[in-house]
Amino acid sequence: NGTATFRPSIAGVGGPYSITYTYQALNGCTNSITQQTTVNALPSVNFTGLALSYCRNADPATLTGNQAPQGAFGGPGITDNGNGTAAFNPSVAGVGTHSVYYFFTDGNACTDTMFKTVTVFDLPQPAIVDILPEYCENAEPDTITGSFYPLGSFTGPGIVDLGIGKAVFYPATAGTGGPYDIVYTYTDFNGCTEDTTYQV
């Protein structure tokens, strides 16, 4: 029908390739025309600086494209600096799995893109149980427990951490006064750390 499809990926990088169109009229006369084309290679595109995963409260990561100072970044949590670098902010991207990309267009107007996947984990929500809001100075020591028992640790005045998500609070050691900050810290299996503070 007088049409054809040229597929650069099948022809492969190189050339110039000769593309010929031939026509034969009803009277048997034939003529043809030939044009040449070249298939250019895609630019090499990659970037560094992005880990496989982050905790939601992690500091922004600096990403650098291999074609810097050219190329641009995109995706959730990305702030493109306009010079082939970008910042990935986990708290802006939000919890979940995201696709971050870097693309570059070379002098032949050929563009390629590199995609990488990153996961942002939410923070654990630790809590302290079995603790009172106030004690008498002569009260017996009180064993307190973290919500992620037997994991996590305690700090604070009058606290002896037992290292198993439990601690003993000694009112006499803390002394009269307050409110004192009792802190329970927990790191989950993703390496994300959060703490909670209870005042006594």
Side-chain angles (χ1 to χ4, degrees):
N1 63 359
T3 64
T5 300
F6 175 70
R7 292 185 172 88
S9 61
I10 294 175
V13 174
Y17 298 116
S18 295
I19 310 297
T20 303
Y21 171 61
T22 303
Y23 174 73
Q24 184 176 21
L26 294 176
N27 62 10
C29 295
T30 301
N31 201 0
S32 63
I33 185 171
T34 299
Q35 292 187 356
Q36 293 186 327
T37 187
T38 300
V39 178
N40 296 309
L42 292 176
S44 171
V45 177
N46 201 350
F47 66 94
T48 58
L50 186 70
L52 292 175
S53 63
Y54 295 88
C55 299
R56 182 172 48 83
N57 63 346
D59 291 333
T62 299
L63 313 183
T64 303
N66 67 327
Q67 298 290 347
Q70 297 174 310
F73 285 88
I78 289 292
T79 301
D80 187 80
N81 297 325
N83 61 357
T85 67
F88 172 72
N89 191 329
S91 65
V92 174
V95 174
T97 299
H98 309 288
S99 184
V100 172
Y101 59 91
Y102 170 68
F103 64 95
F104 168 72
T105 302
D106 66 14
N108 295 316
C110 294
T111 301
D112 203 6
T113 306
M114 168 64 75
F115 290 87
K116 293 187 181 181
T117 300
V118 60
T119 300
V120 177
F121 295 113
D122 204 358
L123 301 178
Q125 300 295 317
I128 300 174
V129 294
D130 303 329
I131 191 170
L132 300 175
E134 55 186 42
Y135 293 84
C136 294
E137 184 181 17
N138 64 349
E140 291 294 316
D142 189 15
T143 300
I144 58 177
T145 306
S147 56
F148 290 102
Y149 167 83
L151 301 173
S153 60
F154 287 88
T155 57
I159 287 290
V160 173
D161 183 46
L162 301 178
I164 55 170
K166 284 184 176 284
V168 178
F169 175 63
Y170 290 88
T173 303
T176 300
Y180 297 119
D181 288 340
I182 309 301
V183 180
Y184 173 56
T185 304
Y186 170 72
T187 301
D188 67 15
F189 61 89
N190 293 317
C192 298
T193 301
E194 184 66 297
D195 59 47
T196 186
T197 301
Y198 191 92
Q199 291 190 325
V200 175

